[in-house]
């Protein structure tokens, strides 16, 4: 401990308040779970049977993760009462072991490799799909996650 302190490392617990990255992560994860849909809710939203939702989860054309054996389908992948256009082409390319927050952040934050015009700001993958742009572009980027 003395060597670490001499090197400038503070070993005392720091109260970071709202800036605590662990707290922020927990809050984002809790919000994603709280707003996520169950299989039944997703089926109702899409006007399909629950078995079809489970089939799409298995095929990875819809995204979900399990908590204590129950599927949670994050809402970022829905546009109104439909699945985000092109999602079925993108999701199979997203690594299965990517943490749910990693998936959420990747779909909802600007991607520097996703631009419409060189002078414009990077586009958010979700917005790229929602506006009907080519999902193959997003799928190719997903493979590099």
């Amino acid at each position: 401990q003395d060597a670490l302190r001499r090197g400038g490392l503070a070993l005392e617990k720091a109260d970071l308040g709202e800036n605590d990255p662990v707290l922020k992560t927990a809050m984002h994860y809790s919000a994603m779970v709280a707003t996520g849909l169950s299989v039944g809710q997703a089926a109702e939203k899409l006007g399909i049977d629950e078995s079809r939702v489970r089939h799409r989860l298995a095929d990875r054309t819809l995204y979900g993760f399990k908590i204590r054996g129950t599927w949670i389908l994050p809402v970022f992948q829905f546009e109104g009462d439909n699945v985000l256009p092109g999602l079925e082409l993108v999701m199979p390319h997203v690594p299965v072991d990517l943490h749910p927050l990693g998936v959420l952040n990747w779909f909802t934050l600007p991607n520097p490799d996703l631009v419409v015009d060189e002078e414009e700001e990077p586009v958010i993958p979700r917005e790229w799909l929602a506006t009907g742009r080519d999902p193959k572009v997003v799928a190719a980027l997903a493979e590099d996650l």
Side-chain angles (χ1 to χ4, degrees):
Q1 288 182 356
D2 289 338
L4 292 173
R5 282 193 176 96
R6 281 192 306 273
L9 183 66
L11 298 178
E12 294 75 30
K13 185 177 179 180
D15 182 8
L16 302 175
E18 293 178 4
N19 295 322
D20 185 336
V22 175
L23 177 62
K24 281 185 176 184
T25 299
M27 288 172 36
H28 286 132
Y29 186 75
S30 295
M32 181 172 52
V33 170
T35 60
L37 304 179
S38 67
V39 167
Q41 291 168 324
E44 186 177 325
K45 176 184 259 316
L46 299 173
I48 59 177
D49 292 333
E50 289 184 23
S51 62
R52 183 70 189 129
V53 171
R54 286 189 185 88
H55 184 77
R56 291 194 62 182
L57 286 164
D59 286 347
R60 299 189 60 228
T61 58
L62 269 178
Y63 177 68
F65 58 95
K66 285 188 175 183
I67 296 181
R68 286 179 246 115
T70 301
W71 282 106
I72 303 293
L73 289 85
V75 295
F76 76 82
Q77 64 192 322
F78 299 101
E79 184 74 14
D81 288 338
N82 297 299
V83 175
L84 199 58
L87 186 77
E88 69 281 355
L89 299 173
V90 176
M91 282 315 304
H93 298 278
V94 174
V96 245
D97 60 346
L98 189 60
H99 189 277
L101 278 178
V103 176
L104 174 70
N105 288 339
W106 187 78
F107 269 99
T108 60
L109 295 175
N111 187 314
D113 295 323
L114 203 55
V115 291
V116 177
D117 184 333
E118 287 183 27
E119 295 178 20
E120 290 185 25
E121 294 292 316
V123 178
I124 295 170
R126 186 191 185 290
E127 289 179 8
W128 180 278
L129 296 174
T131 55
R133 290 191 171 92
D134 187 0
K136 293 176 188 168
V137 174
V138 178
L141 292 173
E143 287 190 7
D144 292 334
L145 289 173

